[in-house]
mmCIF file of all heavy atoms in Angstrom:
data_model
loop_
_atom_site.group_PDB
_atom_site.id
_atom_site.type_symbol
_atom_site.label_atom_id
_atom_site.label_comp_id
_atom_site.label_asym_id
_atom_site.label_seq_id
_atom_site.Cartn_x
_atom_site.Cartn_y
_atom_site.Cartn_z
ATOM 1 N N GLN D 500 113.695 158.038 21.539
ATOM 2 C CA GLN D 500 113.468 156.692 22.072
ATOM 3 C C GLN D 500 114.374 155.678 21.371
ATOM 4 O O GLN D 500 114.478 155.654 20.152
ATOM 5 C CB GLN D 500 112.003 156.299 21.801
ATOM 6 C CG GLN D 500 111.678 154.837 22.000
ATOM 7 C CD GLN D 500 111.317 154.532 23.441
ATOM 8 O OE1 GLN D 500 110.337 155.077 23.947
ATOM 9 N NE2 GLN D 500 112.088 153.683 24.080
ATOM 10 N N GLY D 502 115.569 151.272 21.960
ATOM 11 C CA GLY D 502 115.222 150.070 22.723
ATOM 12 C C GLY D 502 113.739 149.752 22.627
ATOM 13 O O GLY D 502 113.046 150.197 21.712
ATOM 14 N N PRO D 504 110.197 150.154 24.319
ATOM 15 C CA PRO D 504 109.465 150.919 25.345
ATOM 16 C C PRO D 504 108.509 150.078 26.184
ATOM 17 O O PRO D 504 108.057 150.529 27.235
ATOM 18 C CB PRO D 504 108.695 151.967 24.532
ATOM 19 C CG PRO D 504 108.689 151.489 23.130
ATOM 20 C CD PRO D 504 109.860 150.584 22.953
ATOM 21 N N GLU D 505 108.191 148.865 25.726
ATOM 22 C CA GLU D 505 107.315 148.009 26.545
ATOM 23 C C GLU D 505 108.095 147.415 27.715
ATOM 24 O O GLU D 505 107.550 147.139 28.771
ATOM 25 C CB GLU D 505 106.726 146.893 25.699
ATOM 26 C CG GLU D 505 105.469 147.327 24.960
ATOM 27 C CD GLU D 505 104.814 146.161 24.273
ATOM 28 O OE1 GLU D 505 105.341 145.703 23.241
ATOM 29 O OE2 GLU D 505 103.786 145.710 24.792
ATOM 30 N N TYR D 539 110.563 157.843 17.749
ATOM 31 C CA TYR D 539 111.024 156.453 17.853
ATOM 32 C C TYR D 539 111.155 155.995 16.406
ATOM 33 O O TYR D 539 110.148 155.869 15.708
ATOM 34 C CB TYR D 539 109.976 155.630 18.621
ATOM 35 C CG TYR D 539 110.329 154.207 18.950
ATOM 36 C CD1 TYR D 539 111.643 153.741 18.907
ATOM 37 C CD2 TYR D 539 109.339 153.311 19.335
ATOM 38 C CE1 TYR D 539 111.947 152.430 19.238
ATOM 39 C CE2 TYR D 539 109.627 151.997 19.670
ATOM 40 C CZ TYR D 539 110.943 151.559 19.619
ATOM 41 O OH TYR D 539 111.237 150.262 19.937
ATOM 42 N N GLU D 540 112.361 155.798 15.948
ATOM 43 C CA GLU D 540 112.590 155.515 14.530
ATOM 44 C C GLU D 540 111.766 154.310 14.061
ATOM 45 O O GLU D 540 111.795 153.241 14.671
ATOM 46 C CB GLU D 540 114.087 155.261 14.284
ATOM 47 C CG GLU D 540 114.441 155.296 12.817
ATOM 48 C CD GLU D 540 115.942 155.165 12.590
ATOM 49 O OE1 GLU D 540 116.555 154.218 13.104
ATOM 50 O OE2 GLU D 540 116.501 156.033 11.891
ATOM 51 N N ALA D 541 110.997 154.549 12.987
ATOM 52 C CA ALA D 541 110.120 153.541 12.360
ATOM 53 C C ALA D 541 108.978 153.084 13.282
ATOM 54 O O ALA D 541 108.252 152.144 12.947
ATOM 55 C CB ALA D 541 110.912 152.341 11.851
ATOM 56 N N VAL D 542 108.786 153.786 14.400
ATOM 57 C CA VAL D 542 107.708 153.541 15.377
ATOM 58 C C VAL D 542 107.236 152.077 15.439
ATOM 59 O O VAL D 542 106.073 151.777 15.156
ATOM 60 C CB VAL D 542 106.480 154.477 15.154
ATOM 61 C CG1 VAL D 542 105.922 154.929 16.494
ATOM 62 C CG2 VAL D 542 106.784 155.657 14.276
ATOM 63 N N PRO D 543 108.105 151.172 15.860
ATOM 64 C CA PRO D 543 107.716 149.754 15.888
ATOM 65 C C PRO D 543 106.754 149.380 17.011
ATOM 66 O O PRO D 543 106.168 148.297 16.976
ATOM 67 C CB PRO D 543 109.060 149.024 16.044
ATOM 68 C CG PRO D 543 109.993 150.016 16.630
ATOM 69 C CD PRO D 543 109.524 151.377 16.222
ATOM 70 N N TYR D 544 106.607 150.245 18.025
ATOM 71 C CA TYR D 544 105.696 149.954 19.135
ATOM 72 C C TYR D 544 104.332 150.562 18.806
ATOM 73 O O TYR D 544 104.201 151.791 18.711
ATOM 74 C CB TYR D 544 106.288 150.543 20.427
ATOM 75 C CG TYR D 544 105.406 150.437 21.648
ATOM 76 C CD1 TYR D 544 104.676 149.286 21.910
ATOM 77 C CD2 TYR D 544 105.327 151.491 22.553
ATOM 78 C CE1 TYR D 544 103.862 149.195 23.032
ATOM 79 C CE2 TYR D 544 104.528 151.420 23.683
ATOM 80 C CZ TYR D 544 103.793 150.259 23.914
ATOM 81 O OH TYR D 544 102.988 150.186 25.024
ATOM 82 N N PRO D 545 103.290 149.745 18.619
ATOM 83 C CA PRO D 545 101.988 150.225 18.137
ATOM 84 C C PRO D 545 101.307 151.249 19.040
ATOM 85 O O PRO D 545 100.432 151.962 18.593
ATOM 86 C CB PRO D 545 101.123 148.956 18.046
ATOM 87 C CG PRO D 545 102.064 147.814 18.092
ATOM 88 C CD PRO D 545 103.287 148.279 18.810
ATOM 89 N N GLU D 546 101.708 151.332 20.337
ATOM 90 C CA GLU D 546 101.045 152.290 21.229
ATOM 91 C C GLU D 546 101.988 153.387 21.711
ATOM 92 O O GLU D 546 101.803 153.944 22.797
ATOM 93 C CB GLU D 546 100.445 151.531 22.430
ATOM 94 C CG GLU D 546 99.330 150.589 22.000
ATOM 95 C CD GLU D 546 98.683 149.902 23.186
ATOM 96 O OE1 GLU D 546 99.402 149.197 23.914
ATOM 97 O OE2 GLU D 546 97.478 150.079 23.373
ATOM 98 N N TRP D 547 102.964 153.666 20.880
ATOM 99 C CA TRP D 547 103.983 154.643 21.297
ATOM 100 C C TRP D 547 103.395 156.025 21.586
ATOM 101 O O TRP D 547 103.833 156.736 22.481
ATOM 102 C CB TRP D 547 105.072 154.757 20.230
ATOM 103 C CG TRP D 547 106.278 155.477 20.746
ATOM 104 C CD1 TRP D 547 107.220 154.976 21.590
ATOM 105 C CD2 TRP D 547 106.630 156.854 20.511
ATOM 106 N NE1 TRP D 547 108.153 155.944 21.890
ATOM 107 C CE2 TRP D 547 107.817 157.094 21.233
ATOM 108 C CE3 TRP D 547 106.073 157.882 19.753
ATOM 109 C CZ2 TRP D 547 108.451 158.337 21.222
ATOM 110 C CZ3 TRP D 547 106.708 159.123 19.737
ATOM 111 C CH2 TRP D 547 107.877 159.335 20.469
ATOM 112 N N TYR D 581 112.155 157.043 9.670
ATOM 113 C CA TYR D 581 110.962 157.904 9.734
ATOM 114 C C TYR D 581 110.413 157.878 11.160
ATOM 115 O O TYR D 581 110.665 156.935 11.918
ATOM 116 C CB TYR D 581 109.890 157.465 8.721
ATOM 117 C CG TYR D 581 109.223 156.144 9.012
ATOM 118 C CD1 TYR D 581 108.088 156.074 9.830
ATOM 119 C CD2 TYR D 581 109.701 154.960 8.485
ATOM 120 C CE1 TYR D 581 107.468 154.863 10.109
ATOM 121 C CE2 TYR D 581 109.099 153.740 8.757
ATOM 122 C CZ TYR D 581 107.979 153.699 9.575
ATOM 123 O OH TYR D 581 107.374 152.503 9.859
ATOM 124 N N GLN D 588 100.683 152.130 8.689
ATOM 125 C CA GLN D 588 101.816 151.898 9.577
ATOM 126 C C GLN D 588 101.302 151.304 10.899
ATOM 127 O O GLN D 588 100.149 151.558 11.288
ATOM 128 C CB GLN D 588 102.549 153.239 9.811
ATOM 129 C CG GLN D 588 103.999 153.120 10.263
ATOM 130 C CD GLN D 588 104.140 153.040 11.778
ATOM 131 O OE1 GLN D 588 103.241 153.410 12.517
ATOM 132 N NE2 GLN D 588 105.288 152.539 12.230
ATOM 133 N N VAL D 589 102.135 150.531 11.558
ATOM 134 C CA VAL D 589 101.706 149.756 12.726
ATOM 135 C C VAL D 589 101.142 150.611 13.886
ATOM 136 O O VAL D 589 100.315 150.143 14.664
ATOM 137 C CB VAL D 589 102.865 148.829 13.181
ATOM 138 C CG1 VAL D 589 104.007 149.627 13.773
ATOM 139 C CG2 VAL D 589 102.409 147.772 14.139
ATOM 140 N N SER D 590 101.552 151.878 13.989
ATOM 141 C CA SER D 590 101.047 152.712 15.090
ATOM 142 C C SER D 590 99.930 153.658 14.624
ATOM 143 O O SER D 590 99.538 154.567 15.364
ATOM 144 C CB SER D 590 102.191 153.511 15.722
ATOM 145 O OG SER D 590 102.633 154.519 14.858
#
Side-chain angles (χ1 to χ4, degrees):
Q500 167 87 62
E505 275 187 286
Y539 186 17
E540 194 175 53
V542 219
Y544 175 41
E546 295 183 300
W547 194 75
Y581 69 88
Q588 202 271 341
V589 69
S590 71

